Short mmCIF file of all heavy atoms in Angstrom, two decimals:
data_model
loop_
_atom_site.label_atom_id
_atom_site.label_comp_id
_atom_site.label_asym_id
_atom_site.label_seq_id
_atom_site.Cartn_x
_atom_site.Cartn_y
_atom_site.Cartn_z
N MET A 151 -8.30 42.87 -13.86
CA MET A 151 -9.10 41.76 -13.38
C MET A 151 -10.03 42.26 -12.28
O MET A 151 -9.65 43.06 -11.44
CB MET A 151 -8.20 40.66 -12.80
CG MET A 151 -7.34 39.97 -13.82
SD MET A 151 -6.35 38.66 -13.09
CE MET A 151 -7.50 37.33 -13.23
N THR A 152 -11.20 41.71 -12.28
CA THR A 152 -12.14 42.09 -11.25
C THR A 152 -11.89 41.25 -10.00
O THR A 152 -11.15 40.27 -10.02
CB THR A 152 -13.59 41.87 -11.73
OG1 THR A 152 -13.79 40.48 -11.93
CG2 THR A 152 -13.88 42.64 -13.00
N GLU A 153 -12.50 41.65 -8.96
CA GLU A 153 -12.31 40.97 -7.67
C GLU A 153 -12.85 39.54 -7.71
O GLU A 153 -12.24 38.62 -7.13
CB GLU A 153 -13.02 41.78 -6.59
CG GLU A 153 -12.65 41.37 -5.19
CD GLU A 153 -13.23 42.32 -4.16
OE1 GLU A 153 -13.06 43.54 -4.31
OE2 GLU A 153 -13.84 41.81 -3.22
N THR A 154 -13.96 39.31 -8.40
CA THR A 154 -14.50 37.95 -8.48
C THR A 154 -13.60 37.03 -9.29
O THR A 154 -13.48 35.85 -8.97
CB THR A 154 -15.91 37.97 -9.09
OG1 THR A 154 -15.86 38.59 -10.37
CG2 THR A 154 -16.89 38.68 -8.20
N GLU A 155 -12.97 37.55 -10.33
CA GLU A 155 -12.05 36.73 -11.12
C GLU A 155 -10.84 36.32 -10.28
O GLU A 155 -10.36 35.18 -10.38
CB GLU A 155 -11.60 37.49 -12.36
CG GLU A 155 -12.69 37.67 -13.40
CD GLU A 155 -12.25 38.53 -14.56
OE1 GLU A 155 -11.19 39.20 -14.45
OE2 GLU A 155 -12.94 38.54 -15.58
N ILE A 156 -10.35 37.24 -9.47
CA ILE A 156 -9.21 36.94 -8.61
C ILE A 156 -9.58 35.87 -7.59
O ILE A 156 -8.83 34.93 -7.34
CB ILE A 156 -8.70 38.22 -7.92
CG1 ILE A 156 -8.12 39.18 -8.96
CG2 ILE A 156 -7.67 37.89 -6.85
CD1 ILE A 156 -7.77 40.55 -8.41
N GLU A 157 -10.78 35.99 -6.99
CA GLU A 157 -11.24 35.00 -6.02
C GLU A 157 -11.41 33.63 -6.68
O GLU A 157 -11.03 32.61 -6.10
CB GLU A 157 -12.55 35.45 -5.39
CG GLU A 157 -12.42 36.60 -4.42
CD GLU A 157 -13.76 37.04 -3.88
OE1 GLU A 157 -14.77 36.35 -4.13
OE2 GLU A 157 -13.80 38.08 -3.20
N THR A 158 -11.96 33.61 -7.88
CA THR A 158 -12.15 32.35 -8.60
C THR A 158 -10.80 31.70 -8.90
O THR A 158 -10.62 30.49 -8.74
CB THR A 158 -12.92 32.59 -9.91
OG1 THR A 158 -14.15 33.25 -9.61
CG2 THR A 158 -13.20 31.28 -10.62
N GLU A 159 -9.83 32.51 -9.33
CA GLU A 159 -8.50 31.99 -9.64
C GLU A 159 -7.82 31.46 -8.37
O GLU A 159 -7.17 30.42 -8.40
CB GLU A 159 -7.65 33.09 -10.27
CG GLU A 159 -6.30 32.60 -10.74
CD GLU A 159 -5.53 33.70 -11.44
OE1 GLU A 159 -6.12 34.42 -12.26
OE2 GLU A 159 -4.32 33.82 -11.14
N ALA A 160 -7.98 32.13 -7.24
CA ALA A 160 -7.39 31.69 -5.98
C ALA A 160 -8.02 30.37 -5.55
O ALA A 160 -7.32 29.46 -5.09
CB ALA A 160 -7.58 32.75 -4.91
N ARG A 161 -9.34 30.24 -5.69
CA ARG A 161 -10.01 28.98 -5.33
C ARG A 161 -9.53 27.84 -6.22
O ARG A 161 -9.30 26.73 -5.75
CB ARG A 161 -11.52 29.13 -5.46
CG ARG A 161 -12.15 29.92 -4.36
CD ARG A 161 -13.65 29.91 -4.47
NE ARG A 161 -14.22 30.90 -3.60
CZ ARG A 161 -15.27 31.63 -3.89
NH1 ARG A 161 -15.88 31.49 -5.06
NH2 ARG A 161 -15.74 32.52 -3.04
N THR A 162 -9.39 28.13 -7.51
CA THR A 162 -8.95 27.11 -8.45
C THR A 162 -7.54 26.64 -8.11
O THR A 162 -7.26 25.44 -8.11
CB THR A 162 -9.00 27.64 -9.89
OG1 THR A 162 -10.32 28.11 -10.17
CG2 THR A 162 -8.62 26.57 -10.88
N SER A 163 -6.66 27.57 -7.80
CA SER A 163 -5.30 27.17 -7.50
C SER A 163 -5.25 26.38 -6.18
O SER A 163 -4.49 25.41 -6.07
CB SER A 163 -4.37 28.38 -7.43
OG SER A 163 -4.75 29.24 -6.37
N LYS A 164 -6.07 26.76 -5.20
CA LYS A 164 -6.13 26.00 -3.95
C LYS A 164 -6.66 24.60 -4.21
O LYS A 164 -6.14 23.62 -3.69
CB LYS A 164 -7.02 26.71 -2.93
CG LYS A 164 -6.39 27.92 -2.31
CD LYS A 164 -7.32 28.53 -1.28
CE LYS A 164 -6.73 29.77 -0.66
NZ LYS A 164 -7.64 30.37 0.33
N THR A 165 -7.69 24.50 -5.04
CA THR A 165 -8.26 23.21 -5.37
C THR A 165 -7.25 22.35 -6.12
O THR A 165 -7.12 21.15 -5.84
CB THR A 165 -9.53 23.39 -6.23
OG1 THR A 165 -10.43 24.25 -5.54
CG2 THR A 165 -10.20 22.07 -6.52
N THR A 166 -6.52 22.96 -7.03
CA THR A 166 -5.51 22.22 -7.79
C THR A 166 -4.41 21.72 -6.87
O THR A 166 -3.99 20.56 -6.97
CB THR A 166 -4.91 23.13 -8.88
OG1 THR A 166 -5.97 23.62 -9.70
CG2 THR A 166 -3.92 22.37 -9.73
N ARG A 167 -3.94 22.57 -5.98
CA ARG A 167 -2.89 22.15 -5.03
C ARG A 167 -3.39 21.04 -4.13
O ARG A 167 -2.67 20.07 -3.85
CB ARG A 167 -2.42 23.34 -4.19
CG ARG A 167 -1.55 24.30 -4.94
CD ARG A 167 -0.82 25.26 -4.01
NE ARG A 167 -1.64 25.81 -2.95
CZ ARG A 167 -2.18 27.02 -2.94
NH1 ARG A 167 -1.99 27.84 -3.94
NH2 ARG A 167 -2.90 27.43 -1.92
N PHE A 168 -4.63 21.12 -3.68
CA PHE A 168 -5.20 20.08 -2.82
C PHE A 168 -5.31 18.76 -3.58
O PHE A 168 -4.98 17.70 -3.05
CB PHE A 168 -6.57 20.52 -2.31
CG PHE A 168 -7.21 19.52 -1.41
CD1 PHE A 168 -6.68 19.24 -0.16
CD2 PHE A 168 -8.34 18.82 -1.81
CE1 PHE A 168 -7.27 18.32 0.69
CE2 PHE A 168 -8.94 17.89 -0.98
CZ PHE A 168 -8.40 17.64 0.27
N ALA A 169 -5.74 18.81 -4.84
CA ALA A 169 -5.85 17.60 -5.64
C ALA A 169 -4.47 16.97 -5.86
O ALA A 169 -4.31 15.75 -5.79
CB ALA A 169 -6.50 17.92 -6.98
N GLN A 170 -3.46 17.80 -6.11
CA GLN A 170 -2.10 17.27 -6.29
C GLN A 170 -1.60 16.64 -5.00
O GLN A 170 -0.95 15.59 -5.02
CB GLN A 170 -1.16 18.39 -6.73
CG GLN A 170 -1.42 18.85 -8.15
CD GLN A 170 -0.63 20.10 -8.49
OE1 GLN A 170 -0.06 20.76 -7.63
NE2 GLN A 170 -0.59 20.42 -9.79
N TRP A 171 -1.90 17.25 -3.87
CA TRP A 171 -1.50 16.69 -2.58
C TRP A 171 -2.17 15.34 -2.34
O TRP A 171 -1.53 14.39 -1.90
CB TRP A 171 -1.85 17.68 -1.46
CG TRP A 171 -1.56 17.13 -0.11
CD1 TRP A 171 -0.36 17.06 0.52
CD2 TRP A 171 -2.52 16.56 0.80
NE1 TRP A 171 -0.50 16.48 1.76
CE2 TRP A 171 -1.81 16.16 1.96
CE3 TRP A 171 -3.88 16.35 0.75
CZ2 TRP A 171 -2.44 15.57 3.04
CZ3 TRP A 171 -4.51 15.76 1.83
CH2 TRP A 171 -3.78 15.39 2.96
N LEU A 172 -3.47 15.25 -2.68
CA LEU A 172 -4.18 13.98 -2.52
C LEU A 172 -3.58 12.89 -3.40
O LEU A 172 -3.41 11.75 -2.96
CB LEU A 172 -5.66 14.15 -2.86
CG LEU A 172 -6.55 14.77 -1.81
CD1 LEU A 172 -7.97 14.93 -2.36
CD2 LEU A 172 -6.57 13.95 -0.55
N MET A 173 -3.24 13.23 -4.63
CA MET A 173 -2.64 12.25 -5.54
C MET A 173 -1.28 11.78 -5.02
O MET A 173 -0.97 10.59 -5.05
CB MET A 173 -2.50 12.84 -6.95
CG MET A 173 -3.83 13.09 -7.62
SD MET A 173 -4.79 11.59 -7.88
CE MET A 173 -3.81 10.79 -9.10
N ALA A 174 -0.46 12.70 -4.54
CA ALA A 174 0.85 12.34 -4.01
C ALA A 174 0.69 11.45 -2.77
O ALA A 174 1.44 10.47 -2.59
CB ALA A 174 1.65 13.59 -3.66
N ARG A 175 -0.28 11.76 -1.93
CA ARG A 175 -0.52 10.96 -0.73
C ARG A 175 -0.95 9.54 -1.10
O ARG A 175 -0.49 8.56 -0.51
CB ARG A 175 -1.59 11.62 0.14
CG ARG A 175 -1.80 10.91 1.47
CD ARG A 175 -2.82 11.60 2.31
NE ARG A 175 -4.15 11.29 1.79
CZ ARG A 175 -5.28 11.50 2.44
NH1 ARG A 175 -5.26 12.08 3.61
NH2 ARG A 175 -6.43 11.19 1.91
N GLU A 176 -1.79 9.42 -2.12
CA GLU A 176 -2.25 8.10 -2.56
C GLU A 176 -1.09 7.29 -3.14
O GLU A 176 -0.98 6.10 -2.91
CB GLU A 176 -3.37 8.25 -3.59
CG GLU A 176 -3.99 6.96 -4.01
CD GLU A 176 -4.66 6.21 -2.88
OE1 GLU A 176 -5.13 6.85 -1.92
OE2 GLU A 176 -4.70 4.97 -2.95
N GLU A 177 -0.19 7.94 -3.88
CA GLU A 177 0.97 7.24 -4.43
C GLU A 177 1.87 6.73 -3.31
O GLU A 177 2.38 5.60 -3.37
CB GLU A 177 1.76 8.17 -5.35
CG GLU A 177 1.05 8.45 -6.66
CD GLU A 177 1.77 9.49 -7.49
OE1 GLU A 177 2.85 9.96 -7.06
OE2 GLU A 177 1.25 9.84 -8.56
N ARG A 178 2.08 7.54 -2.28
CA ARG A 178 2.91 7.10 -1.14
C ARG A 178 2.25 5.93 -0.42
O ARG A 178 2.92 4.99 0.00
CB ARG A 178 3.15 8.26 -0.17
CG ARG A 178 4.09 9.32 -0.70
CD ARG A 178 4.49 10.30 0.38
NE ARG A 178 3.37 10.93 1.06
CZ ARG A 178 2.82 12.09 0.72
NH1 ARG A 178 3.29 12.76 -0.30
NH2 ARG A 178 1.83 12.59 1.42
N ARG A 179 0.94 5.97 -0.29
CA ARG A 179 0.21 4.87 0.37
C ARG A 179 0.35 3.58 -0.43
O ARG A 179 0.54 2.51 0.14
CB ARG A 179 -1.26 5.25 0.52
CG ARG A 179 -2.07 4.20 1.25
CD ARG A 179 -3.48 4.64 1.48
NE ARG A 179 -3.49 5.71 2.47
CZ ARG A 179 -4.48 6.57 2.64
NH1 ARG A 179 -5.55 6.49 1.88
NH2 ARG A 179 -4.42 7.50 3.56
N GLU A 180 0.26 3.66 -1.75
CA GLU A 180 0.43 2.47 -2.59
C GLU A 180 1.83 1.90 -2.46
O GLU A 180 2.00 0.68 -2.45
CB GLU A 180 0.12 2.81 -4.05
CG GLU A 180 -1.35 3.04 -4.32
CD GLU A 180 -1.62 3.49 -5.74
OE1 GLU A 180 -0.66 3.57 -6.54
OE2 GLU A 180 -2.78 3.77 -6.05
N GLU A 181 2.84 2.76 -2.37
CA GLU A 181 4.21 2.28 -2.19
C GLU A 181 4.35 1.54 -0.86
O GLU A 181 4.98 0.49 -0.80
CB GLU A 181 5.19 3.45 -2.23
CG GLU A 181 5.37 4.06 -3.60
CD GLU A 181 6.24 5.31 -3.57
OE1 GLU A 181 6.80 5.63 -2.50
OE2 GLU A 181 6.35 5.95 -4.62
N LYS A 182 3.74 2.06 0.18
CA LYS A 182 3.80 1.40 1.48
C LYS A 182 3.12 0.04 1.43
O LYS A 182 3.60 -0.94 1.99
CB LYS A 182 3.14 2.26 2.57
CG LYS A 182 3.95 3.45 2.98
CD LYS A 182 3.24 4.23 4.06
CE LYS A 182 4.01 5.46 4.46
NZ LYS A 182 3.29 6.25 5.47
N GLU A 183 1.96 -0.03 0.76
CA GLU A 183 1.24 -1.30 0.66
C GLU A 183 2.05 -2.34 -0.09
O GLU A 183 2.09 -3.50 0.30
CB GLU A 183 -0.11 -1.08 -0.01
CG GLU A 183 -1.10 -0.36 0.87
CD GLU A 183 -2.42 -0.07 0.17
OE1 GLU A 183 -2.58 -0.48 -0.99
OE2 GLU A 183 -3.27 0.57 0.80
N SER A 184 2.73 -1.92 -1.17
CA SER A 184 3.52 -2.89 -1.92
C SER A 184 4.71 -3.35 -1.08
O SER A 184 5.12 -4.51 -1.16
CB SER A 184 3.99 -2.30 -3.25
OG SER A 184 4.87 -1.21 -3.05
N ASN A 185 5.28 -2.46 -0.26
CA ASN A 185 6.36 -2.86 0.62
C ASN A 185 5.87 -3.87 1.66
O ASN A 185 6.57 -4.83 1.97
CB ASN A 185 6.96 -1.64 1.34
CG ASN A 185 7.77 -0.76 0.41
OD1 ASN A 185 8.20 -1.21 -0.65
ND2 ASN A 185 7.97 0.48 0.79
N LEU A 186 4.68 -3.66 2.18
CA LEU A 186 4.11 -4.59 3.16
C LEU A 186 3.85 -5.95 2.53
O LEU A 186 4.08 -6.98 3.16
CB LEU A 186 2.82 -4.02 3.74
CG LEU A 186 2.99 -2.87 4.74
CD1 LEU A 186 1.63 -2.34 5.15
CD2 LEU A 186 3.76 -3.32 5.95
N GLU A 187 3.37 -5.97 1.29
CA GLU A 187 3.14 -7.24 0.62
C GLU A 187 4.44 -8.02 0.46
O GLU A 187 4.47 -9.24 0.66
CB GLU A 187 2.51 -7.00 -0.75
CG GLU A 187 1.07 -6.53 -0.69
CD GLU A 187 0.53 -6.16 -2.06
OE1 GLU A 187 1.26 -6.33 -3.07
OE2 GLU A 187 -0.60 -5.69 -2.12
N GLY A 188 5.52 -7.33 0.13
CA GLY A 188 6.81 -7.99 0.01
C GLY A 188 7.29 -8.56 1.33
O GLY A 188 7.84 -9.67 1.38
N LEU A 189 7.06 -7.81 2.40
CA LEU A 189 7.46 -8.29 3.73
C LEU A 189 6.64 -9.51 4.16
O LEU A 189 7.18 -10.44 4.77
CB LEU A 189 7.31 -7.17 4.76
CG LEU A 189 8.34 -6.05 4.67
CD1 LEU A 189 7.99 -4.95 5.66
CD2 LEU A 189 9.73 -6.58 4.93
N VAL A 190 5.37 -9.53 3.81
CA VAL A 190 4.53 -10.68 4.15
C VAL A 190 5.01 -11.92 3.40
O VAL A 190 5.13 -13.00 3.97
CB VAL A 190 3.04 -10.38 3.85
CG1 VAL A 190 2.21 -11.65 3.89
CG2 VAL A 190 2.50 -9.35 4.81
N ARG A 191 5.33 -11.75 2.12
CA ARG A 191 5.83 -12.89 1.34
C ARG A 191 7.15 -13.40 1.91
O ARG A 191 7.37 -14.60 1.99
CB ARG A 191 6.01 -12.48 -0.11
CG ARG A 191 4.70 -12.29 -0.82
CD ARG A 191 4.88 -11.94 -2.26
NE ARG A 191 3.59 -11.71 -2.90
CZ ARG A 191 3.41 -10.93 -3.93
NH1 ARG A 191 4.42 -10.30 -4.45
NH2 ARG A 191 2.21 -10.79 -4.44
N LEU A 192 8.03 -12.48 2.28
CA LEU A 192 9.30 -12.88 2.87
C LEU A 192 9.07 -13.62 4.18
O LEU A 192 9.72 -14.64 4.45
CB LEU A 192 10.18 -11.64 3.10
CG LEU A 192 11.53 -11.90 3.77
CD1 LEU A 192 12.41 -12.76 2.87
CD2 LEU A 192 12.21 -10.59 4.09
N ASN A 193 8.13 -13.15 4.98
CA ASN A 193 7.82 -13.79 6.25
C ASN A 193 7.31 -15.22 6.03
O ASN A 193 7.70 -16.15 6.74
CB ASN A 193 6.79 -12.97 7.01
CG ASN A 193 6.55 -13.49 8.40
OD1 ASN A 193 7.32 -14.28 8.92
ND2 ASN A 193 5.47 -13.04 9.01
N VAL A 194 6.45 -15.41 5.03
CA VAL A 194 5.94 -16.75 4.74
C VAL A 194 7.07 -17.66 4.29
O VAL A 194 7.17 -18.82 4.73
CB VAL A 194 4.82 -16.67 3.67
CG1 VAL A 194 4.47 -18.05 3.14
CG2 VAL A 194 3.60 -15.97 4.23
N LEU A 195 7.94 -17.16 3.44
CA LEU A 195 9.07 -17.96 2.97
C LEU A 195 9.98 -18.38 4.12
O LEU A 195 10.34 -19.55 4.25
CB LEU A 195 9.88 -17.18 1.93
CG LEU A 195 11.15 -17.86 1.41
CD1 LEU A 195 10.79 -19.10 0.63
CD2 LEU A 195 11.96 -16.90 0.59
N VAL A 196 10.32 -17.44 4.98
CA VAL A 196 11.18 -17.75 6.12
C VAL A 196 10.49 -18.72 7.07
O VAL A 196 11.13 -19.62 7.62
CB VAL A 196 11.60 -16.44 6.85
CG1 VAL A 196 12.28 -16.73 8.17
CG2 VAL A 196 12.51 -15.62 5.95
N SER A 197 9.19 -18.57 7.23
CA SER A 197 8.45 -19.49 8.10
C SER A 197 8.51 -20.91 7.56
O SER A 197 8.73 -21.86 8.33
CB SER A 197 6.99 -19.05 8.22
OG SER A 197 6.91 -17.79 8.83
N PHE A 198 8.32 -21.07 6.26
CA PHE A 198 8.40 -22.41 5.68
C PHE A 198 9.81 -22.98 5.76
O PHE A 198 9.98 -24.18 6.00
CB PHE A 198 7.90 -22.41 4.23
CG PHE A 198 6.42 -22.60 4.13
CD1 PHE A 198 5.59 -21.54 3.83
CD2 PHE A 198 5.86 -23.85 4.36
CE1 PHE A 198 4.23 -21.72 3.74
CE2 PHE A 198 4.49 -24.04 4.28
CZ PHE A 198 3.67 -22.97 3.97
N LEU A 199 10.83 -22.14 5.57
CA LEU A 199 12.20 -22.63 5.71
C LEU A 199 12.47 -23.09 7.14
O LEU A 199 13.09 -24.13 7.36
CB LEU A 199 13.19 -21.54 5.29
CG LEU A 199 13.26 -21.24 3.79
CD1 LEU A 199 14.17 -20.05 3.54
CD2 LEU A 199 13.71 -22.45 3.02
N THR A 200 12.01 -22.31 8.09
CA THR A 200 12.19 -22.70 9.50
C THR A 200 11.44 -24.00 9.80
O THR A 200 11.97 -24.88 10.48
CB THR A 200 11.69 -21.57 10.42
OG1 THR A 200 12.37 -20.36 10.09
CG2 THR A 200 11.93 -21.90 11.88
N LEU A 201 10.22 -24.09 9.29
CA LEU A 201 9.44 -25.30 9.49
C LEU A 201 10.15 -26.51 8.89
O LEU A 201 10.19 -27.59 9.48
CB LEU A 201 8.06 -25.14 8.85
CG LEU A 201 7.07 -26.27 9.01
CD1 LEU A 201 6.71 -26.43 10.48
CD2 LEU A 201 5.83 -25.99 8.19
N GLY A 202 10.75 -26.32 7.73
CA GLY A 202 11.48 -27.41 7.10
C GLY A 202 12.71 -27.81 7.88
O GLY A 202 13.03 -29.01 7.99
N LEU A 203 13.41 -26.84 8.43
CA LEU A 203 14.60 -27.17 9.21
C LEU A 203 14.24 -27.88 10.51
O LEU A 203 14.94 -28.78 10.95
CB LEU A 203 15.41 -25.91 9.50
CG LEU A 203 16.12 -25.28 8.30
CD1 LEU A 203 16.72 -23.94 8.69
CD2 LEU A 203 17.20 -26.21 7.77
N VAL A 204 13.17 -27.46 11.13
CA VAL A 204 12.80 -28.03 12.43
C VAL A 204 12.01 -29.33 12.27
O VAL A 204 12.31 -30.32 12.93
CB VAL A 204 11.99 -27.00 13.25
CG1 VAL A 204 11.43 -27.63 14.51
CG2 VAL A 204 12.84 -25.79 13.58
N GLY A 205 11.01 -29.32 11.38
CA GLY A 205 10.11 -30.46 11.31
C GLY A 205 10.36 -31.40 10.17
O GLY A 205 9.78 -32.48 10.12
N GLY A 206 11.15 -31.01 9.22
CA GLY A 206 11.42 -31.87 8.08
C GLY A 206 10.41 -31.70 6.97
O GLY A 206 9.52 -30.85 7.01
N PHE A 207 10.59 -32.52 5.93
CA PHE A 207 9.79 -32.41 4.72
C PHE A 207 8.31 -32.69 4.99
O PHE A 207 7.44 -32.06 4.40
CB PHE A 207 10.33 -33.38 3.67
CG PHE A 207 9.63 -33.28 2.35
CD1 PHE A 207 9.79 -32.16 1.56
CD2 PHE A 207 8.80 -34.30 1.92
CE1 PHE A 207 9.14 -32.06 0.35
CE2 PHE A 207 8.14 -34.21 0.71
CZ PHE A 207 8.32 -33.09 -0.08
N GLU A 208 8.02 -33.62 5.88
CA GLU A 208 6.62 -33.95 6.16
C GLU A 208 5.88 -32.76 6.77
O GLU A 208 4.71 -32.52 6.49
CB GLU A 208 6.52 -35.15 7.11
CG GLU A 208 6.99 -36.46 6.52
CD GLU A 208 8.50 -36.61 6.56
OE1 GLU A 208 9.15 -35.84 7.29
OE2 GLU A 208 9.03 -37.47 5.84
N ALA A 209 6.56 -32.00 7.60
CA ALA A 209 5.94 -30.82 8.21
C ALA A 209 5.63 -29.77 7.15
O ALA A 209 4.60 -29.09 7.22
CB ALA A 209 6.86 -30.23 9.28
N ILE A 210 6.51 -29.62 6.16
CA ILE A 210 6.26 -28.66 5.08
C ILE A 210 5.05 -29.11 4.27
O ILE A 210 4.19 -28.29 3.93
CB ILE A 210 7.50 -28.51 4.18
CG1 ILE A 210 8.62 -27.81 4.96
CG2 ILE A 210 7.17 -27.70 2.94
CD1 ILE A 210 9.90 -27.67 4.19
N GLN A 211 4.96 -30.39 3.96
CA GLN A 211 3.81 -30.90 3.23
C GLN A 211 2.51 -30.64 4.00
O GLN A 211 1.51 -30.22 3.41
CB GLN A 211 3.95 -32.40 2.97
CG GLN A 211 4.92 -32.74 1.87
CD GLN A 211 4.99 -34.23 1.63
OE1 GLN A 211 4.91 -35.02 2.57
NE2 GLN A 211 5.14 -34.62 0.37
N LEU A 212 2.53 -30.87 5.28
CA LEU A 212 1.34 -30.62 6.09
C LEU A 212 1.00 -29.13 6.10
O LEU A 212 -0.18 -28.75 5.97
CB LEU A 212 1.56 -31.10 7.54
CG LEU A 212 0.42 -30.84 8.52
CD1 LEU A 212 -0.82 -31.61 8.06
CD2 LEU A 212 0.82 -31.23 9.91
N GLY A 213 2.01 -28.28 6.23
CA GLY A 213 1.77 -26.84 6.21
C GLY A 213 1.17 -26.38 4.89
O GLY A 213 0.26 -25.55 4.86
N ILE A 214 1.64 -26.92 3.78
CA ILE A 214 1.12 -26.54 2.47
C ILE A 214 -0.33 -27.01 2.32
O ILE A 214 -1.16 -26.30 1.75
CB ILE A 214 2.02 -27.10 1.36
CG1 ILE A 214 3.36 -26.36 1.36
CG2 ILE A 214 1.35 -26.99 -0.01
CD1 ILE A 214 4.40 -26.92 0.42
N THR A 215 -0.64 -28.17 2.84
CA THR A 215 -2.02 -28.66 2.73
C THR A 215 -2.99 -27.83 3.59
O THR A 215 -4.18 -27.76 3.29
CB THR A 215 -2.14 -30.13 3.14
OG1 THR A 215 -1.68 -30.28 4.49
CG2 THR A 215 -1.35 -31.03 2.22
N LEU A 216 -2.50 -27.19 4.63
CA LEU A 216 -3.37 -26.40 5.50
C LEU A 216 -3.55 -24.97 5.03
O LEU A 216 -4.38 -24.23 5.57
CB LEU A 216 -2.80 -26.38 6.93
CG LEU A 216 -2.81 -27.73 7.65
CD1 LEU A 216 -2.14 -27.58 9.02
CD2 LEU A 216 -4.23 -28.25 7.80
N ILE A 217 -2.81 -24.53 4.01
CA ILE A 217 -2.91 -23.15 3.52
C ILE A 217 -4.33 -22.77 3.10
O ILE A 217 -4.80 -21.68 3.44
CB ILE A 217 -1.89 -22.89 2.39
CG1 ILE A 217 -0.49 -22.78 2.99
CG2 ILE A 217 -2.23 -21.61 1.62
CD1 ILE A 217 0.61 -22.61 1.99
N PRO A 218 -5.07 -23.62 2.38
CA PRO A 218 -6.42 -23.19 1.98
C PRO A 218 -7.35 -22.89 3.16
O PRO A 218 -8.33 -22.18 3.00
CB PRO A 218 -6.97 -24.38 1.17
CG PRO A 218 -5.75 -25.11 0.71
CD PRO A 218 -4.71 -24.89 1.77
N TYR A 219 -7.06 -23.40 4.34
CA TYR A 219 -7.92 -23.16 5.49
C TYR A 219 -7.63 -21.84 6.20
O TYR A 219 -8.34 -21.48 7.13
CB TYR A 219 -7.79 -24.33 6.49
CG TYR A 219 -8.22 -25.64 5.90
CD1 TYR A 219 -7.30 -26.63 5.60
CD2 TYR A 219 -9.56 -25.88 5.60
CE1 TYR A 219 -7.70 -27.84 5.04
CE2 TYR A 219 -9.98 -27.07 5.04
CZ TYR A 219 -9.04 -28.04 4.77
OH TYR A 219 -9.44 -29.21 4.21
N LEU A 220 -6.60 -21.13 5.79
CA LEU A 220 -6.26 -19.85 6.43
C LEU A 220 -7.18 -18.75 5.98
O LEU A 220 -7.68 -18.68 4.98
CB LEU A 220 -4.81 -19.46 6.15
CG LEU A 220 -3.77 -20.41 6.73
CD1 LEU A 220 -2.38 -19.93 6.34
CD2 LEU A 220 -3.88 -20.48 8.23
#
């Protein structure tokens, strides 16, 4: 192999490793985002349950009607 072929192969392998690292990083980021979405949904559910326990059914109805304004 000539020296230029070796350099080209080294660049290609570095580029391939970098691309794989970027893909793995993006997958981890997507997992974190889906975990955050689940936590937000849980928070909303617990908030409505608390509102229902403290304020009663009328407070829940009012809270649901105000959702579109958020």
Side-chain angles (χ1 to χ4, degrees):
M151 293 182 88
T152 65
E153 193 172 310
T154 56
E155 290 175 346
I156 293 172
E157 288 177 9
T158 305
E159 186 176 316
R161 285 186 193 142
T162 304
S163 64
K164 286 182 181 179
T165 305
T166 304
R167 285 195 316 259
F168 181 68
Q170 290 171 347
W171 175 79
L172 281 177
M173 292 298 291
R175 185 179 76 165
E176 185 62 28
E177 289 173 3
R178 288 190 305 268
R179 183 176 290 160
E180 288 175 4
E181 289 174 6
K182 286 181 182 178
E183 288 176 3
S184 65
N185 288 340
L186 286 175
E187 289 174 4
L189 288 174
V190 167
R191 289 182 182 153
L192 178 64
N193 187 15
V194 168
L195 176 66
V196 170
S197 297
F198 273 105
L199 289 174
T200 304
L201 183 65
L203 289 172
V204 172
F207 184 69
E208 292 82 15
I210 292 178
Q211 284 182 324
L212 178 63
I214 290 173
T215 58
L216 293 176
I217 286 176
Y219 298 109
L220 295 178

